[in-house]
Amino acid sequence: MFELSSEAPDSNNLGTSVLEKEPEVKEPPLYQVILLNDDYTPMEFVVYVLQSIFNHNHEKATEIMMAVHTKGKGVCGIFSKEIAEMMSHEVNELAKSHHHPLLSEIEPLTD
Ligand code: TYC
């Protein structure tokens, strides 16, 4: 059962003061799936990849594709490491199966 205590939160039962520890829990690190530009993959195929694998709508997919096209790379999504690896692998395999040089990679998110 729980007990109500009138003790100050920073004291223990020995009458001495203790500093509360930060809880020892850490969020798992997040990873960005990065799409790389190339000169040959058709724009419409990139938009299709962003819609079908990352669930972006046509407008958002077009915006990301154009950002990659003009800046060289861009973020498709942010996931746990395992999911980011799976998504990136899916992009690279789908591109290969259509004989396009499109590539993605993952990168840890640092904040
Ligand atoms: N640069 C490509 C073209 O001009 C289009 C493209 C966009 C390719 C984004 C890859 O990740 C990419 N056809």
Side-chain angles (χ1 to χ4, degrees):
M1 286 292 278
F2 297 107
E3 279 185 352
L4 285 178
S5 168
S6 56
E7 278 178 14
D10 64 348
S11 71
N12 60 23
N13 291 327
L14 307 171
T16 57
S17 184
V18 288
L19 282 177
E20 297 236 340
K21 261 206 221 155
E22 287 293 319
E24 286 172 15
V25 282
K26 266 207 141 209
E27 300 297 326
L30 293 174
Y31 283 73
Q32 297 174 303
V33 179
I34 308 285
L35 201 57
L36 306 175
N37 189 34
D38 66 73
D39 292 339
Y40 304 103
T41 304
M43 290 184 173
E44 264 318 307
F45 182 78
V46 180
V47 171
Y48 165 71
V49 164
L50 289 163
Q51 290 192 99
S52 59
I53 297 179
F54 296 93
N55 254 354
H56 290 302
N57 63 36
H58 191 269
E59 189 184 354
K60 184 71 188 172
T62 304
E63 180 187 312
I64 295 171
M65 181 279 295
M66 282 309 294
V68 176
H69 176 68
T70 55
K71 296 175 190 159
K73 51 169 79 173
V75 180
C76 314
I78 297 172
F79 309 94
S80 67
K81 187 172 190 196
E82 289 73 17
I83 302 294
E85 278 169 348
M86 283 178 47
M87 305 286 258
S88 175
H89 186 71
E90 253 192 82
V91 171
N92 298 345
E93 288 302 311
L94 187 62
K96 257 194 251 175
S97 75
H98 287 78
H99 309 287
H100 295 311
L102 179 67
L103 272 181
S104 70
E105 61 187 26
I106 72 165
E107 179 177 297
L109 181 70
T110 52
D111 40 18

